[in-house]
Amino acid sequence: MKILIVGAGETGYFIAKEFSEENVEVVLVDEKPKHLEHLQRTLNVAGVVGNGTSLKTLEQAGVDSCDFLIACTDHDESNLICCLIANQFKVPVKIAVTRTDSFLKRKIIQRYLSSGVSQIINSSVVTAQEVIATATYSSASAVSVFGDRKVLLVGCKIKAASSWKGKKLFDIRSDIENQDFLIASIVRGGDSFIPTGMDEVLEGDYIYVLAPKTSVPLLDEILQTKVLHNRRAVVVGSGFISQRVVLGLLHSHYQVTVICSDQLEFHNFKDKFSHHKDCNVVFGDPSNVKFQLRHEVATSALFIAVTKDDMANITSALIAKYLGAAKTIAIVNREELTEPAQLMEIDVVLSPRLSTARTVKKSTQGGLSDKLNFTTISETNMEVREMVVGPGCSIAGKALKDVALPKGCLIGAIVHTSEEVEMAKGSTVIEVNDQVIAVTTPESSLKLKELFNAQ
């Protein structure tokens, strides 16, 4: 498979990183040689200097032989034009990444889709969706859905006060009467592994738990260090992401206070949300302790910082956590700030560019008609895949203990045709048309798909 990425900025870097560790040929196009030199030093990719809307540049990059073209420059119009040009070369899949809300109207999107663009992914929408999904669960730092939304993958950090700290997985499961969950992966020091019953959970670990949606309240109660007694949220920011987050929280019946630090944006935001009785828009400095206390940040269930200023997001979230906000979320765009921010006391640090890269990769898995879910585990190469057991599959009708799975694979949950969700055990029998959620490494992914006859 060959992937052509136009735009070697931070979004292009994250997208290239998602693919470069697999057996995929990746070619990057950018007008700035320094961008390409940096990526080629750190990733196994080829580079072509030039403008992605130039026929000559695209031909030099081998557009006529690529399977996917992903345009992710800082200019929405250029990305869409690049995809339209690639359509003339019969590129099977053309994905344009956009950042602003200019290309979100349904009529405009449909116009480009009918002209040959395969998919338009808006990074602001993707980020807002991830913020809202993560905010929904008090203990979670990441949430993904599978099995027609019947199964959740919940990621959370093990803190000093966690009841699971220092315990082996076998003991954790023995202590809990309702064992309707599975610890699918542990991320420790940037490395991930599929744990066994004898592995111990340590402070600072990021654990990823698969559980039926109906069991998440119990899981939340077990994992959380502070119970959320109210539905008050504070959102810092006045941009498009902030607007989407605020609307999502209002629809989830939160009382939302929005803090704007720009006078003009404050008035614009207030005009847009003045009709919502549960939304209060205020003007001020979110990094001022007295200002946060005055607006009751200390007693809020959620504090979400989504401005364009990474340092402002980190600072205000740290202050909110110090004052007592139950859960803090900050978006951080710059790659070099993401890891330091994650080491602080902020509960959730999200990277819009990384979220966009994962969404792009998901769109390349099995083609755009594939309705099955796919995600990668944060900061690792582990994948979580949803597959359907095909007719004539060799493992249909067998118990999992009798199935020889590829090395580096774990079957986590099964959604049976009866719509019953079952967490995988050795005695679990998989039948044709069951939906299976599995954790795997990229190198074992193809073998696993072949085993299940997944397309």
Side-chain angles (χ1 to χ4, degrees):
M1 184 167 71
K2 179 179 177 180
I3 295 176
L4 177 57
I5 301 172
V6 179
E10 289 196 356
T11 302
Y13 168 79
F14 279 119
I15 294 173
K17 189 177 181 181
E18 286 286 318
F19 290 104
S20 64
E21 295 176 352
E22 301 182 22
N23 187 25
V24 175
E25 181 184 354
V26 179
V27 179
L28 276 155
V29 173
D30 199 279
E31 290 184 288
K32 298 180 180 179
K34 285 186 177 180
H35 283 176
L36 294 174
E37 289 169 8
H38 169 66
L39 266 67
Q40 287 179 293
R41 281 198 303 268
T42 55
L43 303 175
N44 181 27
V45 298
V48 174
V49 179
N51 189 314
T53 60
S54 162
L55 285 172
K56 183 179 178 181
T57 301
L58 290 178
E59 288 175 337
Q60 187 180 349
V63 67
D64 54 346
S65 62
C66 74
D67 301 289
F68 296 90
L69 181 138
I70 302 161
C72 55
T73 72
D74 290 335
H75 305 288
D76 294 356
E77 294 86 352
S78 297
N79 296 337
L80 291 162
I81 291 170
C82 182
C83 289
L84 293 176
I85 293 173
N87 191 52
Q88 305 305 311
F89 290 91
K90 309 298 182 184
V91 176
V93 180
K94 292 86 47 185
I95 300 173
V97 176
T98 60
R99 302 171 65 187
T100 68
D101 59 349
S102 303
F103 298 96
L104 283 180
K105 293 182 179 179
R106 188 173 298 177
K107 286 184 179 179
I108 295 177
I109 291 176
Q110 191 56 47
R111 190 182 305 157
Y112 278 101
L113 295 180
S114 61
S115 299
V117 179
S118 306
Q119 188 173 9
I120 298 174
I121 295 174
N122 185 280
S123 58
S124 298
V125 172
V126 169
T127 304
Q129 288 173 340
E130 187 165 355
V131 169
I132 293 168
T134 306
T136 304
Y137 302 98
S138 60
S139 63
S141 61
V143 177
S144 299
V145 294
F146 298 89
D148 297 325
R149 307 188 71 84
K150 296 182 180 68
V151 179
L152 297 184
L153 176 73
V154 179
C156 61
K157 186 177 182 179
I158 298 298
K159 299 183 179 180
S162 173
S163 62
W164 286 7
K165 187 188 75 172
K167 287 189 176 182
K168 294 180 179 178
L169 267 64
F170 177 81
D171 295 327
I172 290 173
R173 291 181 65 83
S174 300
D175 290 346
I176 301 171
E177 185 175 343
N178 183 352
Q179 301 178 8
D180 211 12
F181 65 87
L182 179 71
I183 299 179
S185 178
I186 295 178
V187 182
R188 183 177 297 159
D191 295 322
S192 62
F193 60 94
I194 297 173
T196 68
M198 298 307 293
D199 281 307
E200 187 177 329
V201 176
L202 305 179
E203 181 181 349
D205 285 351
Y206 274 92
I207 64 169
Y208 287 83
V209 184
L210 278 169
K213 187 175 182 179
T214 53
S215 296
V216 168
L218 171 65
L219 188 62
D220 226 17
E221 182 181 340
I222 295 167
L223 291 174
Q224 68 188 14
T225 57
K226 179 178 287 190
V227 178
L228 306 186
H229 291 292
N230 63 66
R231 295 190 74 79
R232 289 192 61 256
V234 178
V235 178
V236 178
S238 51
F240 181 63
I241 295 176
S242 177
Q243 292 178 34
R244 302 280 298 199
V245 170
V246 170
L247 283 172
L249 293 174
L250 290 171
H251 289 158
S252 298
H253 309 293
Y254 275 88
Q255 292 180 315
V256 184
T257 297
V258 183
I259 301 175
C260 301
S261 56
D262 180 274
Q263 189 79 288
L264 178 61
E265 292 179 348
F266 160 69
H267 289 294
N268 291 337
F269 209 99
K270 195 167 186 177
D271 289 342
K272 288 181 180 179
F273 287 88
S274 58
H275 62 289
H276 288 278
K277 63 180 179 63
D278 290 327
C279 183
N280 179 35
V281 184
V282 298
F283 170 74
D285 180 5
S287 61
N288 183 288
V289 175
K290 290 183 179 179
F291 182 83
Q292 286 204 17
L293 285 171
R294 189 160 61 249
H295 292 284
E296 301 180 334
V297 169
T299 59
S300 63
L302 293 168
F303 182 92
I304 304 170
V306 290
T307 74
K308 296 178 182 179
D309 187 333
D310 290 349
M311 292 307 298
N313 293 338
I314 293 170
T315 303
S316 60
L318 283 172
I319 292 172
K321 195 65 183 179
Y322 170 76
L323 293 177
K327 183 171 184 177
T328 53
I329 301 173
I331 65 168
V332 178
N333 288 281
R334 289 159 57 191
E335 181 200 359
E336 67 270 21
L337 291 178
T338 303
E339 187 173 347
Q342 289 173 335
L343 296 174
M344 299 177 189
E345 290 301 310
I346 302 171
D347 294 304
V348 183
V349 177
L350 298 177
S351 166
R353 290 174 171 84
L354 182 56
S355 300
T356 302
R358 289 178 182 151
T359 303
V360 169
K361 186 174 183 182
K362 178 182 173 181
S363 296
T364 68
Q365 303 301 309
L368 295 173
S369 62
D370 189 359
K371 296 180 181 179
L372 302 182
N373 212 339
F374 165 88
T375 191
T376 55
I377 291 179
S378 179
E379 304 303 319
T380 75
N381 66 342
M382 298 291 288
E383 300 177 352
V384 183
R385 286 185 175 272
E386 178 182 331
M387 297 165 292
V388 174
V389 180
C393 177
S394 61
I395 66 171
K398 291 184 178 179
L400 278 177
K401 63 183 179 181
D402 299 323
V403 176
L405 291 173
K407 185 179 178 180
C409 296
L410 170 73
I411 303 299
I414 298 95
V415 180
H416 296 293
T417 52
S418 62
E419 297 193 355
E420 175 193 1
V421 178
E422 181 180 0
M423 302 312 296
K425 301 182 290 290
S427 58
T428 299
V429 177
I430 300 176
E431 302 291 355
V432 172
N433 294 326
D434 281 351
Q435 291 174 279
V436 176
I437 295 94
V439 181
T440 178
T441 57
E443 53 267 25
S444 300
S445 181
L446 288 176
K447 293 179 181 178
L448 189 67
K449 288 179 71 176
E450 290 172 1
L451 185 65
F452 281 85
N453 289 347
Q455 300 301 317

